[in-house]
């Protein structure tokens, strides 16, 4: 795809698509609940469609209209042994969370994903699940897909998360919900808490005591209505675009502002961005309007507890940092190496091709600004977020950017280019 925007100003109001993490979970809880769940503003990106597909194979009726997704929940007991392989596509969230669900169900299933999923570590989930009694086999001792799950009776667990991962936490929570008694998950660093919030939304109970999350097994859920807020991880691309393009102002409506996800807002403040946030409503998840204008930015340091709160936004923050005066240092972000691609390498390599002064470190990157970006040939490497970073970089680049494999963007933001074109003044 050839991107030759001519360094435009940006302006206007958009609503980014629904939150990916919340969309996945709304299907999962909707299926596990008894009765009907109606989901509005669901993200119809490829990842979340993979979750729908898997639950259909487990016997759940799911209706799709333009406005809503309707899940006819079967309850835990109503899920059926699938007669074909569950294909999770590019979705780590589907793969890992489904493992926690399938581990305790009384049947056999097989899971597979795409090439990127085949490289991503699954032992971070299969190891704690095995200690709860799960019977999961897979390539390289259960480290990678394809995986085969023979559902079994699960025991409770007290588990300290060795990595700050909401996917691991959520998989263990789903397994704990099926064990007899109370499980405790200790989370040294807070990660996104959509699973915990959704347990409550579907009529269940979860307790939080400091860094301990306490889950009682044997809970059943009731179908409900879910409104999925706009995904702040998608909004992030246009927050950055507005901050770095000339004479720009973008308003992002109905964006999720869950505290465990708003690390990027903190970074915008640290870097001196011109931004206002207005909280508009609250139903299960916080929602608000984010307005960002062209900004004079300064470099910053991003590390520690902030990292899990902006892990998916680091690639686009790297682009932002190329347009800030001074140095930006990102540390403690090794987890980037096991995302859809090794995002330390892919973002550094691709931004360099457009003239950024950026260097990879063992656990993050160092970016020196401010650089003038130029045209060039870049690739998404099949990673949706890398594809979007490069498209936003193209908005400010002097010259044409050729983007290879832009189709990957449909994983989380099918309307991305429509929105880009809508915002060009
Ligand atoms: C997600 C958790 C994060 C995030 C991913 C979605 C989730 O992954 O990067 O995009 O929905 O729970 P990790 O759990 O691997 O940190």
């Amino acid at each position: 795809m050839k991107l030759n925007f001519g360094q435009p100003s940006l302006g206007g109001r958009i609503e980014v698509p629904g939150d990916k993490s919340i969309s996945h979970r709304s299907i999962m809880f909707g299926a596990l609940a008894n009765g009907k769940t109606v989901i509005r503003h669901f993200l119809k990106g490829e990842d979340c469609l993979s979750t729908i597909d898997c639950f259909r194979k487990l016997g759940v009726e799911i209706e799709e209209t333009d406005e809503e997704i309707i899940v006819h929940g079967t309850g835990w007991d109503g899920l059926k042994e699938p007669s074909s392989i569950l294909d999770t596509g590019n979705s780590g969230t589907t793969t890992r969370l489904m493992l926690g669900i399938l581990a305790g169900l009384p049947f056999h299933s097989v899971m597979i994903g795409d090439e990127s999923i085949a490289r991503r570590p699954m032992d971070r989930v299969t190891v704690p699940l095995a200690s709860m009694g799960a019977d999961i086999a897979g390539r390289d001792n259960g480290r990678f897909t394809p995986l085969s799950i023979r559902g079994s009776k699960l025991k409770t667990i007290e588990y300290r998360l060795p990595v700050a991962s909401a996917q691991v936490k959520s998989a263990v929570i789903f397994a704990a919900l099926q064990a007899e008694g109370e499980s405790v998950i200790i989370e040294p660093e807070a990660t996104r808490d959509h699973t915990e919030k959704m347990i409550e939304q579907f009529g269940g109970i979860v307790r939080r005591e400091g860094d301990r999350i306490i889950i009682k097994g044997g809970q059943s859920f009731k179908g409900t209505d879910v409104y999925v807020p706009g995904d702040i991880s998608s909004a992030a691309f246009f927050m950055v675009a507005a901050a770095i393009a000339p004479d720009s102002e973008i308003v992002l409506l109905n964006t999720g502002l869950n505290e465990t996800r708003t690390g990027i807002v903190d970074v915008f403040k640290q870097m001196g961005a011109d931004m206002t946030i207005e909280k508009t409503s609250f139903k299960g998840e916080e929602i608000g309007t984010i307005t960002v204008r062209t900004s004079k930015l300064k470099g910053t340091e991003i590390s520690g507890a902030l990292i899990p709160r902006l892990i998916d936004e680091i690639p686009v923050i790297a682009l932002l940092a190329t347009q800030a005066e001074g140095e930006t240092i990102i540390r403690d972000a090794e987890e980037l190496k096991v995302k859809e691609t090794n995002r330390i390498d892919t973002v550094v390599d691709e931004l360099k091709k457009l003239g950024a002064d950026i260097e990879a470190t063992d656990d993050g990157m160092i970016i020196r600004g401010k650089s003038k970006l130029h045209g060039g040939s870049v690739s998404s490497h099949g990673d949706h977020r890398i594809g979007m970073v490069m498209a936003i970089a193209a908005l400010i680049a002097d010259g044409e950017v050729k983007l290879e494999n832009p189709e990957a963007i449909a994983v989380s933001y099918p309307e991305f280019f429509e929105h880009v074109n809508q915002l060009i003044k």
Side-chain angles (χ1 to χ4, degrees):
M1 174 183 270
K2 288 181 181 168
L3 302 170
N4 201 342
F5 294 115
Q7 299 171 302
S9 296
L10 305 172
R13 299 155 77 84
I14 56 165
E15 186 171 7
V16 297
D19 187 278
K20 182 153 79 68
S21 296
I22 298 174
S23 294
H24 283 300
R25 288 158 172 83
S26 65
I27 298 293
M28 294 176 184
F29 278 98
L32 296 171
N34 295 300
K36 190 165 104 173
T37 288
V38 179
I39 309 163
R40 284 185 299 131
H41 202 232
F42 179 84
L43 168 62
K44 287 188 181 169
E46 286 164 9
D47 266 17
C48 301
L49 297 177
S50 296
T51 295
I52 290 187
D53 185 54
C54 288
F55 277 94
R56 283 187 174 142
K57 286 184 175 160
L58 293 168
V60 182
E61 188 193 335
I62 302 173
E63 292 174 65
E64 278 179 62
T65 70
D66 285 347
E67 296 295 315
E68 298 172 341
I69 303 284
I70 302 163
V71 185
H72 297 272
T74 58
W76 295 93
D77 299 338
L79 295 172
K80 294 198 172 57
E81 185 165 63
S83 58
S84 56
I85 292 173
L86 304 174
D87 186 349
T88 59
N90 189 245
S91 176
T93 306
T94 312
T95 315
R96 296 197 175 115
L97 272 57
M98 294 286 302
L99 282 171
I101 294 171
L102 296 169
L105 296 174
F107 51 72
H108 174 250
S109 30
V110 177
M111 225 167 19
I112 194 167
D114 69 4
E115 280 166 40
S116 152
I117 281 294
R119 288 191 298 267
R120 299 182 67 184
M122 295 300 153
D123 51 339
R124 52 178 55 197
V125 174
T126 55
V127 167
L129 293 181
S131 73
M132 299 176 80
D135 183 0
I136 302 173
R139 184 165 52 95
D140 196 5
N141 273 326
R143 233 171 104 67
F144 300 110
T145 55
L147 295 159
S148 147
I149 307 106
R150 198 172 288 284
S152 41
K153 202 166 155 42
L154 299 176
K155 302 191 290 269
T156 57
I157 190 171
E158 176 159 335
Y159 190 62
R160 175 178 285 272
L161 290 173
V163 279
S165 162
Q167 292 177 354
V168 177
K169 171 176 70 174
S170 301
V172 176
I173 289 178
F174 277 122
L177 285 166
Q178 302 177 75
E180 224 172 88
E182 257 183 15
S183 294
V184 180
I185 300 164
I186 302 143
E187 192 177 39
E189 263 172 12
T191 65
R192 63 191 71 194
D193 62 356
H194 306 301
T195 304
E196 297 92 305
K197 285 209 153 68
M198 217 168 256
I199 289 178
E200 288 174 339
Q201 246 183 302
F202 280 78
I205 303 165
V206 52
R207 272 188 0 254
R208 176 140 204 153
E209 292 171 4
D211 60 0
R212 295 163 73 84
I213 301 161
I214 301 148
I215 309 284
K216 223 165 129 183
Q219 297 190 43
S220 55
F221 301 115
K222 268 201 315 284
T224 187
D225 290 351
V226 178
Y227 173 77
V228 183
D231 196 330
I232 189 154
S233 298
S234 298
F237 296 101
F238 293 109
M239 291 170 68
V240 168
I244 64 180
D247 303 318
S248 300
E249 178 177 300
I250 294 180
V251 180
L252 298 153
L253 304 163
N254 297 327
T255 307
L257 293 173
N258 179 316
E259 266 289 306
T260 61
R261 297 285 299 282
T262 49
I264 186 165
V265 170
D266 297 2
V267 167
F268 265 57
K269 286 182 188 154
Q270 277 169 224
M271 296 178 79
D274 185 354
M275 170 188 66
T276 41
I277 291 191
E278 199 191 319
K279 293 197 171 153
T280 47
S281 70
F282 188 95
K283 193 202 159 205
E285 293 278 354
E286 279 197 69
I287 297 177
T289 301
I290 304 176
T291 305
V292 179
R293 300 166 205 92
T294 307
S295 305
K296 209 168 148 21
L297 301 161
K298 54 178 191 290
T300 190
E301 190 179 316
I302 303 169
S303 61
L306 192 51
I307 297 293
R309 296 180 54 235
L310 48 63
I311 189 74
D312 292 340
E313 290 67 78
I314 292 176
V316 78
I317 289 172
L319 169 63
L320 181 74
T322 68
Q323 302 308 304
E325 289 300 338
E327 197 170 72
T328 294
I329 303 179
I330 302 172
R331 292 189 227 280
D332 305 324
E334 304 82 343
E335 272 296 299
L336 287 176
K337 296 180 184 171
V338 290
K339 296 295 175 189
E340 285 81 335
T341 55
N342 175 337
R343 285 185 177 157
I344 296 182
D345 289 349
T346 45
V347 80
V348 167
D349 291 350
E350 297 310 300
L351 283 177
K352 259 190 192 160
K353 291 178 188 168
L354 302 186
D357 182 351
I358 179 168
E359 126 195 19
T361 61
D362 280 350
D363 65 347
M365 54 194 97
I366 300 173
I367 306 113
R368 289 176 206 90
K370 180 177 176 175
S371 316
K372 271 198 171 13
L373 299 188
H374 52 68
S377 282
V378 296
S379 170
S380 70
H381 292 265
D383 182 332
H384 55 125
R385 298 203 198 280
I386 301 299
M388 287 186 275
V389 171
M390 300 323 293
I392 299 296
L395 282 168
I396 61 157
D398 185 6
E400 183 176 276
V401 173
K402 257 198 213 143
L403 175 60
E404 218 178 281
N405 198 355
E407 304 79 45
I409 292 172
V411 156
S412 66
Y413 202 156
E415 312 86 326
F416 177 75
F417 284 108
E418 250 168 72
H419 283 173
V420 169
N421 288 327
Q422 199 180 314
L423 291 169
I424 290 176
K425 280 210 260 189

